[in-house]
Amino acid sequence: MANRHLENNKTLWWFAGEDPYILSFCSKKTKKKLALNGLVVIIIMTISAISISFGIYEILESYYIGLIVGIYSAILIMFLYIFILYTLTKDVIPPKVKSKYASYSSRALRIGFLVFLGVLVSQPIEYELFSNIVNEELTEYIATEIENRNNKLNKEYALKLNELRSLNIDESTLQTEILRFNKEKELRLHNFIDYQTSRNFFVQKLIIMDSSPKTRFIWVFSLVFVIIFIFPVYQKVYIDKSTNYYFYKEKVQRKLISDHYQKFVVTYDEILRQDYSQFGLKWKSDYKDPPFNSVPIEDITYNSDKEFNEWLLGESH
């Protein structure tokens, strides 16, 4: 039942960015493969909405803003993801010659972006799952920060005390200044502790989670998210170009391009006929297979200026 549902599910095809007309001619295997892509895209969108909503809530402590930003980001990620999937489709129209290095670099950048997106989306969910471990690490981090601050203040006031002693002031005044220094230092340290305990620390929690030796196992979960994000890419890239999927995709694209080209030629020639009828001008291509322009017409040699002028008057650009 599940396989049959995947075979003819136009909703899942839409989420995969595919044309139902083209898929109607494809094998069951291809239909299921691309329907599965659509299902994974829905999963990615849902995970992104939950994760980003939670992340924004942790930073701004607002359910409403977190929910709005999460849903908006999920929809944005979905359309961006569909677009990337579309750009990874093999060329069916003869492309301009380009280097393999440029092609591989372009593909690597797109896949690398999806890997980055997968890791980024996974972070808030991973923190929620392992917050106990991360919070213990954060407590140690805060204690270290307070200790470092205390040592810094001790050095600062020790220098001030040495400066006073170098002035040879009386002992009573010196003791008064020492008491004042202690109160001032305690107040500054107390303010620093209050500041530390009032901070949100969510970004710092994520940094600790990703860098602490005690939480390195969490990268396994990041890897799972990355696999989910690049799974549809793997499915799409490894569809054989000899399948009906690419045969009918080429057929549809060629028809669309040819139809638009014919409309353009008719409109262009009509304008020339109306405005320059005395010259007998019309559209003329330099290629044998317009509008795909993959087979150029061989250069023509003109034996005289008259022949060249006749050719020039018969050509329009």
Side-chain angles (χ1 to χ4, degrees):
M1 178 65 78
N3 285 340
R4 190 172 181 181
H5 185 68
L6 287 175
E7 285 174 18
N8 300 288
N9 195 313
K10 292 183 180 181
T11 302
L12 293 181
W13 292 347
W14 184 87
F15 275 101
E18 300 298 339
D19 185 345
Y21 172 77
I22 293 174
L23 287 181
S24 65
F25 296 101
C26 294
S27 65
K28 291 181 180 180
K29 181 180 178 181
T30 302
K31 288 178 181 178
K32 288 189 286 186
K33 183 180 288 189
L34 295 175
L36 186 59
N37 273 8
L39 182 61
V40 174
V41 170
I42 293 174
I43 293 171
I44 288 171
M45 185 174 67
T46 305
I47 290 173
S48 299
I50 295 171
S51 183
I52 295 172
S53 295
F54 175 72
I56 297 298
Y57 165 74
E58 283 290 320
I59 295 172
L60 302 179
E61 298 182 350
S62 170
Y63 286 110
Y64 298 109
I65 295 176
L67 186 62
I68 292 170
V69 174
I71 293 173
Y72 174 81
S73 300
I75 294 172
L76 182 64
I77 287 172
M78 180 194 73
F79 282 110
L80 183 62
Y81 198 94
I82 291 173
F83 172 73
I84 291 175
L85 279 180
Y86 179 80
T87 62
L88 289 168
T89 305
K90 296 181 178 72
D91 292 324
V92 291
I93 304 299
K96 292 182 179 180
V97 177
K98 56 183 179 181
S99 69
K100 287 186 177 181
Y101 173 78
S103 178
Y104 289 144
S105 298
S106 175
R107 181 172 292 183
L109 283 173
R110 282 171 281 177
I111 295 174
F113 174 75
L114 292 180
V115 170
F116 169 76
L117 203 58
V119 173
L120 189 66
V121 167
S122 72
Q123 298 293 290
I125 293 178
E126 289 168 354
Y127 168 71
E128 180 64 14
L129 292 174
F130 304 102
S131 57
N132 291 338
I133 301 174
V134 177
N135 288 338
E136 287 177 5
E137 290 289 293
L138 179 65
T139 302
E140 293 180 12
Y141 169 81
I142 293 174
T144 302
E145 288 291 299
I146 293 172
E147 184 180 352
N148 291 338
R149 182 69 171 179
N150 186 51
N151 292 336
K152 185 177 179 181
L153 289 173
N154 286 338
K155 290 179 181 178
E156 179 183 333
Y157 285 104
L159 288 173
K160 288 183 179 181
L161 185 59
N162 289 334
E163 288 177 4
L164 285 177
R165 283 174 174 165
S166 67
L167 297 176
N168 295 320
I169 61 176
D170 62 89
E171 188 64 25
S172 175
T173 304
L174 182 63
Q175 289 300 321
T176 302
E177 288 299 310
I178 290 174
L179 289 174
R180 186 176 69 82
F181 284 169
N182 283 334
K183 288 181 180 179
E184 188 176 312
K185 178 230 170 182
E186 290 299 324
L187 179 62
R188 290 176 65 182
L189 183 61
H190 181 73
N191 290 338
F192 180 77
I193 293 172
D194 286 344
Y195 169 70
Q196 291 289 72
T197 54
S198 66
R199 286 174 63 187
N200 182 275
F201 275 114
F202 183 65
V203 175
Q204 186 61 45
K205 289 173 185 176
L206 298 184
I207 294 172
I208 291 172
M209 183 178 70
D210 292 333
S211 59
S212 173
K214 294 181 181 179
T215 55
R216 282 179 184 168
F217 67 93
I218 295 177
W219 280 102
V220 175
F221 291 86
S222 298
L223 180 61
V224 172
F225 277 87
V226 168
I227 290 172
I228 293 172
F229 268 73
I230 64 174
F231 176 76
V233 173
Y234 172 82
Q235 293 267 82
K236 189 71 175 280
V237 168
Y238 284 95
I239 295 177
D240 196 276
K241 202 168 183 179
S242 62
T243 59
N244 280 353
Y245 175 77
Y246 281 107
F247 174 79
Y248 283 99
K249 184 175 281 288
E250 180 179 0
K251 187 176 180 180
V252 169
Q253 289 188 13
R254 282 184 174 274
K255 186 176 186 308
L256 285 172
I257 294 171
S258 297
D259 288 349
H260 280 286
Y261 176 73
Q262 291 302 323
K263 289 178 182 178
F264 160 75
V265 171
V266 169
T267 304
Y268 195 90
D269 286 349
E270 181 63 22
I271 293 172
L272 292 177
R273 186 184 65 77
Q274 291 177 2
D275 297 344
Y276 306 99
S277 58
Q278 66 273 28
F279 297 109
L281 301 176
K282 64 178 182 178
W283 173 263
K284 188 175 182 181
S285 175
D286 292 333
Y287 293 86
K288 294 179 181 180
D289 61 338
F292 306 103
N293 301 343
S294 61
V295 184
I297 298 173
E298 295 180 2
D299 293 338
I300 303 172
T301 304
Y302 303 100
N303 297 319
S304 65
D305 290 342
K306 181 180 178 182
E307 287 184 7
F308 173 75
N309 290 332
E310 289 175 352
W311 169 84
L312 186 63
L313 290 174
E315 179 188 40
S316 41
H317 295 280

